[in-house]
Amino acid sequence: MKLDESEVESEVENTWCIGCGNFGLLNSVKNAVKKLEDEGIGKDRLLISAGIGCHGKIFDYLNLSGLYSLHGRESVTIQGMKFANPNLKVMAFGGDGDAYGEGLAHLIFAAKRNADITMIIHNNGNYALTTGQKSPTSVQGFKGPSSPEGSVDEPINPLKVLLSSDAGFIARGYPGKMQHLTEVIVEAGDHQGFSLVDVLQPCVTFNDTYEKYNELVEVLDEPAETRKEAVELVEKEERLPIGVLYKEKMPVFNEKVYPEKNPVEDRMDEKERFEAVKKILDEKR
Amino acid sequence: MKLDESEVESEVENTWCIGCGNFGLLNSVKNAVKKLEDEGIGKDRLLISAGIGCHGKIFDYLNLSGLYSLHGRESVTIQGMKFANPNLKVMAFGGDGDAYGEGLAHLIFAAKRNADITMIIHNNGNYALTTGQKSPTSVQGFKGPSSPEGSVDEPINPLKVLLSSDAGFIARGYPGKMQHLTEVIVEAGDHQGFSLVDVLQPCVTFNDTYEKYNELVEVLDEPAETRKEAVELVEKEERLPIGVLYKEKMPVFNEKVYPEKNPVEDRMDEKERFEAVKKILDEKR
Amino acid sequence: MEDEDVFTYMVGGKAGEGVKKAGTAATDLFLDLGRESFQMNDYQSLIRGGHNFSVVSTSIREVYSHHMEADLIVNLDERSRKIHEEHLAEEGLMFYNLDDSEERDEGLGLPLDEMAKEYSKPDLIKGVAGIAVLAAYTGMDQKDLEDLIEKEYSRGVEENLSFAKEVYKEVEEKIDKTINLEKGKTDSTVLTGNESLSLGAAAGGLDMYIGYPMTPASSILHFFAAHKDDLRVMPIHPENEIAVANMAVGATVPGARVMVGSSGGGLALMEETISLAGMTEAPVLFVLSSRPGPSTGVPTYTEQGDLSFALNQGHGEFPLIVASPGSVKEAFFLSKEMLDLVWKYQTPGIFLTEKHLSESAKTLGLDLDFSDEDGLETKMADEDDDYKRYEKTEDGISALKFPPSKDLIKWNSYEHDELGYTTEDAETVKNMHDKRREKNETLILDLKDMNTVNEFGEGDAVIFTFGSTTLSVREALKFTDIEAKVVQPVFLKPFPIWELERYMDEEVIVVEQNSTGQLAKLLREKCGIKPKTVIRKYDGRPFGPRKLAEKLEGAIE
Amino acid sequence: MEDEDVFTYMVGGKAGEGVKKAGTAATDLFLDLGRESFQMNDYQSLIRGGHNFSVVSTSIREVYSHHMEADLIVNLDERSRKIHEEHLAEEGLMFYNLDDSEERDEGLGLPLDEMAKEYSKPDLIKGVAGIAVLAAYTGMDQKDLEDLIEKEYSRGVEENLSFAKEVYKEVEEKIDKTINLEKGKTDSTVLTGNESLSLGAAAGGLDMYIGYPMTPASSILHFFAAHKDDLRVMPIHPENEIAVANMAVGATVPGARVMVGSSGGGLALMEETISLAGMTEAPVLFVLSSRPGPSTGVPTYTEQGDLSFALNQGHGEFPLIVASPGSVKEAFFLSKEMLDLVWKYQTPGIFLTEKHLSESAKTLGLDLDFSDEDGLETKMADEDDDYKRYEKTEDGISALKFPPSKDLIKWNSYEHDELGYTTEDAETVKNMHDKRREKNETLILDLKDMNTVNEFGEGDAVIFTFGSTTLSVREALKFTDIEAKVVQPVFLKPFPIWELERYMDEEVIVVEQNSTGQLAKLLREKCGIKPKTVIRKYDGRPFGPRKLAEKLEGAIE
Ligand SMILES: Cc1ncc(C[n+]2csc(CCOP(=O)(O)OP(=O)(O)O)c2C)c(N)n1
Ligand SMILES: Cc1ncc(C[n+]2csc(CCOP(=O)(O)OP(=O)(O)O)c2C)c(N)n1
Ligand code: SF4
Ligand code: SF4
Ligand SMILES: [Mg+2]
Ligand SMILES: [Mg+2]
């Protein structure tokens, strides 16, 4: 299938529940991909990945190349892609169970090393695909099949944790504001370095938060000036600011560790390789 | 070997390098164990664990019961012990590579669920036992065998990350101030809920920080009043406050999830178990 | 010799339409008639939409498997009707949804969407139509139907009752014959494999269950969470599988009997910890419920592709016990027995099963008086002994002692001396390897006195199988004239060579659900058995007994 | 028939005293004489103190293993002297540290601590004494010694030179005879196994090496980090092993040739991802360097306990390639060949080795002209094809295409259709299982044309071994009259049954380093070979060739 001749959305049967917040998210992504294309980031060099969960199905719904990864590992998969060929743009879709639970450490370290990747998290406050168990962002008292009497844990605040781990770009979006979400995703994609968009995704079946979000969500005009202010933004519970919450440009990992080299594009040929090996052997003599 | 007839320190040959900060730490632990004993937390019900690394060797140097765990998993091991028998007191020793790297997610979730455990982290800014590679807390530019030109990553600030994950007790100690470190460990042991002591441990062989710490370390009189102030304390680089940085009492996990029950001490006998099973079978009829 | 007294009911529709529930209610309906049943639920990895179906086969005799030839098929949508066309038995009745399918000459259609529209949850309520059609078709009294619905549909019972009655009446009017289901004498319970193994473990003294959701093992976690107060098994759902496994190892130190569960991907993440359990001698029972692999695979379907994976878990050498139940009932007794074994031998065990057994439900009677298992007691240290956690003994087994205790009790992931202190000493390293190997030898002696292999039937043909495929094979044999003995190794590691070697020179057929023939390989490699035919299936679906019967006939003539 | 022309040098002391360095310098000294050597470093899991030793055996012929009977032993402390007493060969010289040991009648003592006190790093400098004693004992010119030290001890060369000369002079005066080491004709290199396999992979086009430290695999990461600019292999050290493995899988999508490495515990953590590589068809080469297990085990020692573990990695069914080199030189060629194979078959491979090969150093000559391997090319898609990532083909291999590309390229951990979209369809599930199995069948055909088994020597006795134990066996045979053929399967999965079946009726001896005889089991199970004797060692230490020779003699008569 040729990418330039096909729609961004694939023809695979969509099996999300009617009304799921993922539809708005998918639409925003489609539009964002087109905008990125207009900016010169073609679909030929945009690679995606996804974790396992309802969120992950977006991998099938997008006619974009990439690798459908494991539960919690999509952030690492795209780092591998990026480091192998820094000319690629990489983006992964994660769930709250997936990226903030099973894969949380990977996010923290990706932020810390400032890997040039974009993460879109479908944060629906539960493990939806496995029938609605509590997740790291489930509110206390959340009832799911592993916590029938209500989850006893306080939810984690993943954005606070990531801001505390020196993440360079943190944003929040809401599928109820599709246009805005599109822009946020484009801006995340444009950012050079680690970027993460936490999407407030209502799950109509297990955690229907439309009403709550419609009431609390508030578009932020400008990112916070300082990291500290950004932390205050994500601590708010009375209001839920959406938009780019914090943005800071910093050197990216692959350029720090392997400057100006592209592992797959700037290869030595066989002869050069043999010479290099021989030289080391000679030094060992 | 009977615990009440034996010293806290074992007779196993100590193979830490001469001058290693771990010696001061070991002494503080020994003294803390005695103090805890005086408070009624006997060695018979104090269980320890440790990760793999120079730090982990403390498991052999202490005549205390427990399980020498895997690299990065000691915080989970002791949670298992505690949940199985809440009458036990559990304490684990971790390294920075170990607890802040391989096992970071476990710490975050232990803090979040407020497991009643005590973690002592031998933070020496490198993977010492595997010959000094960079660790999550290595300073940028740190030269080790996996980063001969200097590590390109910014260090993680684990205490900030844990404070952002609702940890209820965060402290810092320095083996150069042994008496003080002892008290901090006792206070951590006394705390009901998740407690963590980050020990600024000089590694004379790969990361000799004695001079730096002697200069920067500063005893804090009182914990911060708020979590926010605690974050400010751990962000300081010009000075390194030691002592209990933050302390907040919150309900502990096992009491929330399984109130007033002790899985191993309050067992049903076989007859009761069969009855319980039969009752469920009857309901299914 | 077809066994015509099996009646099969199938209901299909979208996820979220109560298809599985209808299957469960049907099983209950049959149970009320004293009939045995087997219910298989086929569903996709999605929450709403797609295509699900539930199939229940019932008889007055024990039914080991569902059949794919149905006497009554209720389709809630057109997709189901199309898919299940091929499953209709001769003379069977096809019920379909007139609002989604065109009217046809054959079968019976009702405008279900139209009728459901009146209710508050028009999608969810559709499933109850399935049970109403069944009731009408089998000539059940309306009153009995009402009782059944009150029992099974406790949520929104009023609406369900009303909708069911509507459908019942329409069907009653429109069909020209009803099927009379003979009454049986069963007075038992219906359990899924996961429920059965969970109850068995609880009966066997389980203290904690630690799990992270993964189909098809999730329902074990759900079961213990739901029964926390009555079964008194502490349920924990931590951050990931590595935490699950290590928490379990930690919990054994103060003596908790603990079980964990996952599917292939989750168990793979626990592998380092399985080796830890081997070295520290921590008795943890791991439930591995398989689905088609590799990797994420086909999450809600069935396969037996993880056999070699299960048998070889963990780096280094240590005793590992692997067993797999061949029936829902065996799942109950085996989980208790496995718990006893891992504790006696202080080593990890894997309870291997598959989606097909985990999530299918079967009628069964359980007798809770366990047979005498005195041999399987945990060796405990005397109070006054000079305690050594890893004392070398003749049988390789060291006594346990649990804290709180005045003795030093050290468990160690490094190689260690008898007291549990780390060692690098050559002789101690060797001795401890010997200790663990001797433990394995003692284990084998124990197993030789236990039931490690099931045999069913008699005959010249020998059919080997394991796990849930045993169900398919036993049911298939009801539909052929073959006289065969079915041999099912329950224990897979240590492999009961002593019981199986005698089949070395027999003509053996192997039936299993994977693509490379892993049981066949095991038989060849461990016992020198050279299977004549290996019947494999690996499309995610369990064998249909009648098709399997044909294959068996083909293989045996 | 003892081969007396082997000279063995041993140096022991505390960690941090430069013991290994002294061994390396000795190897270099021998190389300057045109002699072959084998150097084994024995060290504990600690940074300072304890007891370390390095042993180098040298000859004018190729030496396959160190010997534990030493002609010169330099002990830097009393603990070493005691430990190594039993290792002194007849007529050998025992050198000891007079400041730590009492003066004795035999051997030669010098007050090393006293002498070293003058220097800035009195502990670290002690090691150079080892080389000075060796130089004096073998009658080396002082000038040559100086050259050697300048070359080997570039850090602090002045002090080392001065200390070495002091020791040299004292020894020269005090000994009554020197040993004359015949000159050989070797003009080659000294490499450890890890260096060799790394260089081989680099020569084979490696683009990235991703690793997390774990003994004995860490030095591969260190090697690539040190040679980043000259070898142009990007080295990455991420947060944990799970990240290592998944980063590697991701890196293959744009076509990077990537290798990762760890020991048993780390590889266990990668198991879920190995299965992912099987499903997505990601060509990743995993180096597994074993140490004694289970669990943390004995980190700095050697064992072959991970064979079954390596062969059965990953849930579900997919082709997995496992091979293990029998020499330092083979490590070089095998890593390149394994890279080619995993790329041709788009599936994971495990390069299995052990601490003994990984960290021992051997003299070897390397010829970089690879034999013709045209058969091992990666199948690439044509630019204009209608691209399908998982196209079904006769040989099971689909063509690759790398982004940036105008084609849709989807890799998938779920079961998938040819385009890479997720599927649950029964037929597609089956077809894709078939595809992966067919790939494995093609792989076996390929292997049949390749060298999968090494055979050394001729004779009636047949000795099977694998991995680093091959070294011990080959050296041992120099010390017996046994006429034997040594058979070393290089490929362990798929197992080269076609090459080995002919040994079925022979009297076979198996030599391996583990406690349960895993190779013997494999031979029995796969090829029907019934080993007469299995010589095992599992105390963490490699076989000593002369002791092994005795065991072989015992087994063969
Ligand atoms: C290692 C592993 N563990 C568990 C699972 C089972 N699993 C599939 S999806 C999922 C949870 C998904 O939750 P989330 O990431 O929040 O996604 P959502 O379905 O809510 O979008 C789990 C636990 C798996 N596939 N792999
Ligand atoms: C799963 C696993 N990976 C890697 C190792 C190897 N290893 C042993 S200790 C260590 C690092 C220790 O660093 P740290 O925790 O900081 O302890 P330190 O030695 O500095 O006290 C590593 C990577 C291991 N034992 N297990
Ligand atoms: S279960 Fe929730 S997240 Fe999944 S598709 Fe349905 S609404 Fe969306
Ligand atoms: S290497 Fe460092 S941490 Fe380890 S014992 Fe030596 S000084 Fe201490
Ligand atoms: Mg979710
Ligand atoms: Mg450290």
Side-chain angles (χ1 to χ4, degrees), chain A residues 81-125:
Chain A
M81 294 169 174
K82 181 74 192 181
F83 302 160
N85 186 344
N87 289 335
L88 298 168
K89 187 91 218 164
V90 297
M91 182 179 284
F93 302 89
D96 47 329
D98 166 86
Y100 298 153
E102 184 92 43
L104 181 59
H106 302 309
L107 282 192
I108 293 176
F109 283 95
K112 175 170 130 64
R113 70 172 68 96
N114 200 26
D116 186 11
I117 65 173
T118 298
M119 296 294 306
I120 315 283
I121 313 298
H122 306 216
N123 184 353
N124 58 13

Coordinates of all heavy atoms in Angstrom, one line a residue, chain A residues 81-125:
Chain A
M81 N 13.8 3.1 17.1 CA 13.7 3.5 15.7 C 14.5 4.8 15.5 O 15.2 5.0 14.6 CB 12.2 3.8 15.4 CG 11.4 2.5 15.4 SD 9.6 3.0 15.4 CE 8.8 1.4 15.2
K82 N 14.3 5.7 16.5 CA 14.9 7.1 16.4 C 16.4 7.0 16.4 O 17.1 7.6 15.6 CB 14.4 8.0 17.5 CG 14.9 9.4 17.5 CD 14.2 10.2 16.4 CE 14.9 11.5 16.1 NZ 14.2 12.3 15.1
F83 N 16.9 6.2 17.4 CA 18.4 6.2 17.5 C 19.0 5.5 16.3 O 20.1 5.8 15.8 CB 18.8 5.4 18.8 CG 18.2 6.0 20.0 CD1 18.1 5.3 21.2 CD2 17.8 7.4 20.1 CE1 17.6 5.9 22.4 CE2 17.3 7.9 21.2 CZ 17.2 7.2 22.4
A84 N 18.3 4.5 15.7 CA 18.8 3.8 14.5 C 18.8 4.8 13.3 O 19.7 4.7 12.5 CB 17.9 2.6 14.2
N85 N 17.8 5.6 13.2 CA 17.8 6.5 12.1 C 17.2 7.9 12.5 O 16.0 8.1 12.5 CB 17.0 6.0 10.9 CG 17.1 6.9 9.7 OD1 17.5 8.1 9.8 ND2 16.8 6.4 8.5
P86 N 18.1 8.8 13.0 CA 17.6 10.1 13.5 C 16.8 10.9 12.5 O 16.2 11.9 12.9 CB 18.9 10.8 13.9 CG 19.9 9.7 14.1 CD 19.5 8.6 13.1
N87 N 16.8 10.5 11.2 CA 16.0 11.3 10.3 C 14.6 10.9 10.3 O 13.8 11.6 9.6 CB 16.5 11.0 8.8 CG 17.9 11.7 8.6 OD1 18.2 12.7 9.3 ND2 18.7 11.2 7.7
L88 N 14.2 10.0 11.1 CA 12.8 9.6 11.2 C 12.1 10.4 12.3 O 12.8 10.9 13.2 CB 12.7 8.1 11.6 CG 13.2 7.1 10.5 CD1 13.3 5.7 11.1 CD2 12.4 7.2 9.3
K89 N 10.8 10.6 12.2 CA 10.0 11.2 13.2 C 9.3 10.1 13.9 O 8.7 9.3 13.2 CB 9.0 12.2 12.6 CG 8.3 13.0 13.5 CD 9.0 14.3 13.8 CE 8.8 14.7 15.3 NZ 9.8 15.7 15.7
V90 N 9.3 10.0 15.2 CA 8.6 8.8 15.8 C 7.6 9.3 16.8 O 7.8 10.2 17.5 CB 9.6 7.9 16.4 CG1 10.6 7.3 15.4 CG2 10.4 8.6 17.5
M91 N 6.5 8.5 16.8 CA 5.4 8.9 17.7 C 4.7 7.6 18.2 O 4.6 6.6 17.5 CB 4.3 9.7 16.9 CG 3.1 10.1 17.7 SD 2.0 11.1 16.6 CE 2.8 12.7 16.5
A92 N 4.4 7.5 19.5 CA 3.8 6.3 20.0 C 2.5 6.7 20.8 O 2.4 7.7 21.4 CB 4.7 5.5 20.9
F93 N 1.6 5.7 20.8 CA 0.3 5.8 21.5 C 0.4 4.9 22.7 O 0.7 3.7 22.5 CB -0.8 5.5 20.6 CG -0.8 6.4 19.4 CD1 -0.1 6.1 18.2 CD2 -1.4 7.6 19.4 CE1 0.0 6.9 17.1 CE2 -1.4 8.5 18.3 CZ -0.7 8.2 17.2
G94 N 0.1 5.4 23.9 CA 0.1 4.6 25.0 C -1.2 4.7 25.8 O -2.0 5.6 25.6
G95 N -1.4 3.8 26.7 CA -2.5 3.9 27.7 C -2.0 4.2 29.0 O -0.8 4.2 29.3
D96 N -3.0 4.5 29.9 CA -2.5 4.8 31.3 C -2.0 3.6 32.0 O -1.1 3.7 32.8 CB -3.7 5.5 32.1 CG -5.0 4.8 31.9 OD1 -5.2 4.2 30.9 OD2 -5.8 4.8 32.9
G97 N -2.7 2.4 31.8 CA -2.2 1.2 32.4 C -0.8 0.9 31.8 O 0.1 0.5 32.6
D98 N -0.7 1.1 30.6 CA 0.4 0.7 29.8 C 1.6 1.7 30.0 O 2.7 1.2 30.5 CB -0.1 0.9 28.4 CG 0.8 0.9 27.3 OD1 1.2 -0.2 26.8 OD2 1.2 2.0 26.8
A99 N 1.5 2.9 29.7 CA 2.6 3.9 29.8 C 2.9 4.4 31.2 O 4.0 4.6 31.6 CB 2.4 5.0 28.8
Y100 N 1.8 4.6 32.0 CA 2.0 5.1 33.3 C 2.1 3.9 34.4 O 2.4 4.2 35.5 CB 0.8 6.0 33.7 CG 0.7 7.2 32.9 CD1 -0.6 7.8 32.7 CD2 1.8 7.8 32.3 CE1 -0.7 9.0 32.0 CE2 1.6 9.0 31.5 CZ 0.4 9.5 31.4 OH 0.2 10.7 30.6
G101 N 1.9 2.7 33.9 CA 2.0 1.6 34.8 C 3.1 0.7 34.4 O 4.3 0.9 34.8
E102 N 2.8 -0.3 33.6 CA 3.9 -1.3 33.2 C 5.1 -0.5 32.6 O 6.2 -1.0 32.9 CB 3.3 -2.1 32.1 CG 4.2 -3.2 31.6 CD 4.0 -4.6 32.3 OE1 2.9 -5.0 32.6 OE2 5.0 -5.2 32.6
G103 N 4.9 0.6 31.9 CA 6.1 1.2 31.3 C 6.6 2.5 31.9 O 7.3 3.2 31.3
L104 N 6.1 2.8 33.1 CA 6.4 4.1 33.7 C 7.9 4.5 33.7 O 8.3 5.6 33.3 CB 5.9 4.2 35.1 CG 6.1 5.6 35.8 CD1 5.5 6.7 35.0 CD2 5.5 5.5 37.2
A105 N 8.7 3.5 34.1 CA 10.2 3.8 34.2 C 10.7 4.2 32.8 O 11.6 5.1 32.7 CB 10.9 2.6 34.7
H106 N 10.2 3.6 31.8 CA 10.8 3.9 30.4 C 10.5 5.4 30.1 O 11.3 6.1 29.5 CB 10.1 3.0 29.3 CG 10.4 1.6 29.5 ND1 11.6 1.0 29.8 CD2 9.5 0.6 29.6 CE1 11.5 -0.3 29.9 NE2 10.2 -0.6 29.8
L107 N 9.3 5.9 30.5 CA 9.0 7.3 30.2 C 9.9 8.2 31.0 O 10.4 9.2 30.4 CB 7.5 7.6 30.7 CG 6.4 7.2 29.8 CD1 5.1 7.8 30.3 CD2 6.6 7.5 28.3
I108 N 10.1 7.9 32.2 CA 11.0 8.7 33.1 C 12.4 8.8 32.5 O 13.0 9.9 32.3 CB 11.0 8.2 34.5 CG1 9.6 8.3 35.1 CG2 12.1 8.8 35.3 CD1 9.5 7.7 36.5
F109 N 12.9 7.7 32.0 CA 14.3 7.7 31.5 C 14.3 8.3 30.1 O 15.3 8.9 29.7 CB 14.9 6.3 31.6 CG 15.4 6.0 33.0 CD1 14.6 5.3 33.8 CD2 16.6 6.5 33.5 CE1 14.9 5.0 35.2 CE2 17.0 6.3 34.8 CZ 16.1 5.5 35.6
A110 N 13.3 8.1 29.3 CA 13.2 8.7 28.0 C 13.2 10.3 28.2 O 13.9 11.0 27.4 CB 12.0 8.3 27.2
A111 N 12.5 10.7 29.2 CA 12.5 12.2 29.5 C 13.9 12.6 29.9 O 14.4 13.6 29.5 CB 11.4 12.5 30.6
K112 N 14.4 11.9 30.8 CA 15.7 12.2 31.4 C 16.8 12.3 30.3 O 17.6 13.2 30.3 CB 16.1 11.2 32.4 CG 17.5 11.3 33.0 CD 17.6 10.3 34.2 CE 18.8 9.5 34.1 NZ 20.1 10.3 34.2
R113 N 16.8 11.3 29.4 CA 17.8 11.4 28.3 C 17.4 12.3 27.2 O 18.2 12.5 26.3 CB 18.2 10.0 27.9 CG 17.2 9.2 27.1 CD 17.7 7.9 26.5 NE 18.0 7.0 27.5 CZ 17.2 6.0 27.9 NH1 16.1 5.8 27.3 NH2 17.6 5.1 28.8
N114 N 16.2 12.8 27.3 CA 15.6 13.7 26.2 C 15.7 13.0 24.9 O 16.2 13.6 23.9 CB 16.3 15.1 26.2 CG 15.4 16.1 25.5 OD1 14.2 15.9 25.4 ND2 16.0 17.1 24.9
A115 N 15.2 11.8 24.8 CA 15.0 11.1 23.5 C 14.0 11.9 22.7 O 13.0 12.4 23.2 CB 14.5 9.7 23.8
D116 N 14.3 12.1 21.4 CA 13.5 12.9 20.5 C 12.3 12.1 20.1 O 12.2 11.6 18.9 CB 14.3 13.4 19.4 CG 13.6 14.3 18.5 OD1 12.5 14.8 18.9 OD2 14.0 14.6 17.4
I117 N 11.3 11.9 20.9 CA 10.1 11.1 20.6 C 8.9 11.8 21.1 O 8.9 12.7 21.9 CB 10.2 9.7 21.4 CG1 10.1 9.9 22.9 CG2 11.4 9.0 21.0 CD1 9.9 8.7 23.7
T118 N 7.7 11.4 20.5 CA 6.4 12.0 20.9 C 5.5 10.9 21.4 O 5.3 9.9 20.7 CB 5.8 12.7 19.7 OG1 6.6 13.8 19.3 CG2 4.4 13.3 20.1
M119 N 5.0 11.1 22.6 CA 4.1 10.1 23.2 C 2.7 10.7 23.4 O 2.6 11.8 23.9 CB 4.6 9.8 24.7 CG 6.0 9.1 24.8 SD 6.0 7.4 24.0 CE 4.6 6.6 24.9
I120 N 1.7 10.0 22.9 CA 0.3 10.4 23.1 C -0.3 9.4 24.0 O -0.4 8.2 23.7 CB -0.4 10.3 21.7 CG1 0.4 11.0 20.6 CG2 -1.8 10.9 21.8 CD1 0.4 12.4 20.6
I121 N -0.7 9.8 25.2 CA -1.3 8.9 26.1 C -2.8 9.0 26.2 O -3.3 10.0 26.5 CB -0.7 9.1 27.6 CG1 0.8 9.2 27.5 CG2 -1.1 7.9 28.5 CD1 1.6 8.0 27.0
H122 N -3.5 7.9 25.9 CA -4.9 7.8 26.0 C -5.3 7.5 27.5 O -5.4 6.3 27.9 CB -5.5 6.6 25.2 CG -5.0 6.7 23.7 ND1 -5.9 6.3 22.7 CD2 -3.9 7.0 23.1 CE1 -5.2 6.4 21.5 NE2 -4.0 6.8 21.8
N123 N -5.4 8.5 28.3 CA -5.5 8.4 29.7 C -7.0 8.3 30.1 O -7.7 9.3 30.2 CB -4.8 9.5 30.4 CG -4.9 9.4 31.9 OD1 -5.5 8.5 32.5 ND2 -4.2 10.3 32.6
N124 N -7.5 7.0 30.2 CA -8.9 6.8 30.5 C -9.1 6.3 31.9 O -10.2 5.8 32.2 CB -9.5 5.9 29.4 CG -8.8 4.6 29.3 OD1 -8.1 4.2 30.2 ND2 -9.1 3.8 28.3
G125 N -8.1 6.3 32.7 CA -8.3 6.0 34.1 C -8.7 4.5 34.4 O -9.3 4.2 35.4

